[in-house]
Every structure is written in C-alpha cells, then in structure tokens.
Amino acid sequence: MTIRDWEGIALIIGAGDIGKSISDYLKTVSPKLDVIICGRNLTNQKDILLDLENDHSFISFEKHISQFTKPLRLVINTSGFLHSNVIKPEKRLSHLNRFNINKNFSINAIAPILIAKSIEKLIRPELPFSFASLSARVGSIGDNRLGGWYSYRASKAAQNQFLKTLSIEWRRKYPFSIVSILHPGTCDTKLSKPFHSSIPKDKLFTPSQSSEYLINIISKQKPSDTGKFLAWDKSSISW
Ligand SMILES: NC(=O)c1ccc[n+]([C@@H]2O[C@H](COP(=O)([O-])OP(=O)(O)OC[C@H]3O[C@@H](n4cnc5c(N)ncnc54)[C@H](OP(=O)(O)O)[C@@H]3O)[C@@H](O)[C@H]2O)c1
C-alpha cells in the first residue's frame, strides 16, 4: 500500500514549525487521511486542544478522540522543548536547576509516553498503525561527544527508552504497529533558531524538507522496523 492509499485519521501532536509542515505535506500526499493537529495555538476548527503538561487537558483530549468514527492510523508527536524566555539549555553543570530539568522532562520525555497511553484504546489490532515521535540526535548517549544541554539531552534519552519499551509491548498486542523514534535533522524552526548560526546553509533543512524526509521514512516502514531510533536519512542512531 502506498502513502496515497492511507485511509483513516492521522493525529499530529504539536502545532510547531515541523508539526504544521508535516500536516500540510500529509494533506497533499495522502488525500484519504483526515489530518488533525493537536496542541496549543490552533488555527483550524478541526484541530484539538492539547496542553501536554496538563492532565485535565489529556482527559478532554481522550474524550474528543473517543468520538472518532474512522480508524486511527497514524500519530506523529512533533512537540518538544529546548528553550524559552526564561530557560536556556545548560552550557555547564553550574547552570542546572530543578525547574529546567522538570520542564524538559515534562515535554520531551513524559508527554510522548502519555500520548501513547491516551491513544492506545483507538488502535485496531487488525490494521497497520504507526506511532512516530521526534527525538533528537543529541539524545543519543553513545553519540554524546560535546556535552552541555544536560536537560534536553537527558529528556530525549528518556523518551527513547520509554518508546523502545512501548514498541516491545505493542509488538505483542498490536502486531501491525510500528513505533519510530526520529531525528528530523537540524531544521530552521523556532526551537533551533538561537543555535544554528554555525550550521552551513546546506545542512539546515526547512520544515518542509524535514517533513518530507520523515514521512518518507514512516511510509516505508514495516512492523519488523518497530522500536528503531533513526535520523532523517534513515540511518540508525546509537542509543
Ligand atoms: N528544529 C531542529 O533542528 C530539531 C532538531 C532535533 C530535534 N528536533 C525535535 O523536533 C520536534 C519539533 O520541533 P520544532 O523544531 O518544530 O520546534 P517548534 O516549532 O518549537 O515546535 C515544538 C512544538 O511543541 C509544542 N509544545 C511545547 N510544549 C507544549 C505543551 N505543553 N503542550 C502542547 N504543545 C507543546 C510547542 O507549542 P507552543 O508553540 O504552543 O509552545 C511547539 O509548537 C521537537 O521534538 C524537537 O526537539 C528539532
């Protein structure tokens, strides 16, 4: 089956630069899919409000998606946190504090596995189903050569462990499910903007480039690929 034949519902979690771009791309390449964005700052009436740091918001999200009449076929988590007006990624140990660590873990590690828990009731064991979540190469422990960014790195590594564990449980329960942990490449978005001045222009992707790479991976995966940590070019990243 090709990507044009995908039929049912796709949820894109996170209304950021890559999230919106993946949603736009999917709408053009998979016309039979209902693509719904779930997050904050929504623009479309069909979109669903979801604040990933709020348990009440998860409950109303679950109520909302329980009304779907079409099967859920694809969930892509594109949310993430690296910095805000008050929080910057740590350059050294002395910059660490509990607030920063909690914020990163809440969005980058705890949210992805709670999203999986919320959507699980909608998985139909007889149908192919993909759950992909954006991690980051800097979450790789084996590939950590530069140090720094303690909270972001550790929270993405924790996400990877949560989703690897999920892939093992779902392989038993839902034999046609695929869980993927994906690195989108360095992409020109709100999240990366303050940090990509040293990246050569040809190494910095637009959100639409990253989206195409990611959908290309997701669309070609088989259930035997579940639980992999992959970069935008399909290469494996060490845990
Ligand atoms: N850009 C890169 O170079 C790069 C590299 C490696 C990995 N990644 C990963 O790729 C993913 C997408 O990031 P991006 O580059 O597209 O950044 P982005 O534009 O900042 O998107 C991140 C989105 O996450 C949402 N989010 C954060 N906290 C939330 C919450 N509590 N509830 C709901 N939504 C929340 C943000 O919503 P608000 O707008 O409402 O805050 C934002 O829309 C992230 O997981 C990131 O770590 C990006």
Side-chain angles (χ1 to χ4, degrees):
M1 182 183 269
T2 71
I3 190 167
R4 282 204 79 75
D5 302 316
W6 286 358
E7 217 169 329
I9 291 178
L11 297 180
I12 310 302
I13 315 288
D17 292 322
I18 297 179
K20 284 190 194 132
S21 176
I22 285 184
S23 160
D24 291 344
Y25 182 66
L26 266 181
K27 283 176 189 163
T28 62
V29 294
S30 300
K32 296 183 207 159
L33 265 186
D34 277 351
V35 183
I36 302 171
I37 290 196
C38 314
R40 309 183 289 199
N41 300 320
L42 304 175
T43 48
N44 192 317
Q45 226 187 348
K46 226 171 56 168
D47 297 343
I48 305 174
L49 186 68
L50 176 58
D51 177 354
L52 297 165
E53 291 164 280
N54 182 322
D55 286 339
H56 298 293
S57 184
F58 269 98
I59 292 168
S60 70
F61 169 70
E62 284 173 28
K63 277 195 192 131
H64 198 125
I65 63 174
S66 68
Q67 313 290 319
F68 288 161
T69 50
K70 294 182 186 172
L72 183 65
R73 305 300 299 278
L74 173 64
V75 176
I76 308 178
N77 171 38
T78 69
S79 67
F81 177 84
L82 175 61
H83 63 90
S84 68
N85 292 340
V86 287
I87 298 178
K88 306 288 168 231
E90 310 93 345
K91 287 192 175 147
R92 58 185 67 89
L93 183 63
S94 60
H95 294 164
L96 251 83
N97 63 68
R98 191 180 297 279
F99 182 72
N100 189 357
I101 297 170
N102 279 339
K103 179 80 178 170
N104 274 274
F105 271 75
S106 177
I107 299 164
N108 296 334
I110 299 171
I113 197 67
L114 291 182
I115 294 164
K117 185 180 171 204
S118 286
I119 56 97
E120 185 181 29
K121 281 198 198 110
L122 274 65
I123 301 175
R124 298 210 189 156
E126 73 284 8
L127 292 178
F129 170 75
S130 287
F131 180 85
S133 186
L134 299 192
S135 182
R137 191 187 292 279
V138 298
S140 162
I141 295 172
D143 193 53
N144 185 355
R145 279 160 288 160
L146 287 176
W149 293 20
Y150 284 82
S151 299
Y152 185 72
R153 282 182 190 278
S155 62
K156 290 292 191 181
Q159 174 186 173
N160 294 353
Q161 178 68 289
F162 273 131
L163 298 190
K164 178 72 188 180
T165 305
L166 174 75
S167 72
I168 293 165
E169 180 173 338
W170 279 4
R171 186 166 49 201
R172 289 195 288 262
K173 286 180 166 165
Y174 315 111
F176 300 114
S177 69
I178 306 162
V179 175
S180 325
I181 304 154
L182 303 176
H183 167 63
T186 306
C187 182
D188 188 4
T189 66
K190 195 177 76 177
L191 181 136
S192 68
K193 197 131 243 138
F195 311 102
H196 57 53
S197 57
S198 60
I199 309 279
K201 275 270 171 286
D202 61 325
K203 297 263 171 1
L204 184 65
F205 300 147
T206 62
S208 49
Q209 271 176 301
S210 282
S211 302
E212 264 193 62
Y213 290 133
L214 296 170
I215 295 299
N216 187 36
I217 294 179
I218 295 167
S219 66
K220 298 212 165 86
Q221 280 183 312
K222 299 179 289 299
S224 56
D225 294 315
T226 197
K228 289 186 176 167
F229 180 22
L230 300 173
W232 58 275
D233 59 358
K234 296 197 189 99
S235 60
S236 267
I237 304 177
S238 76
W239 297 109

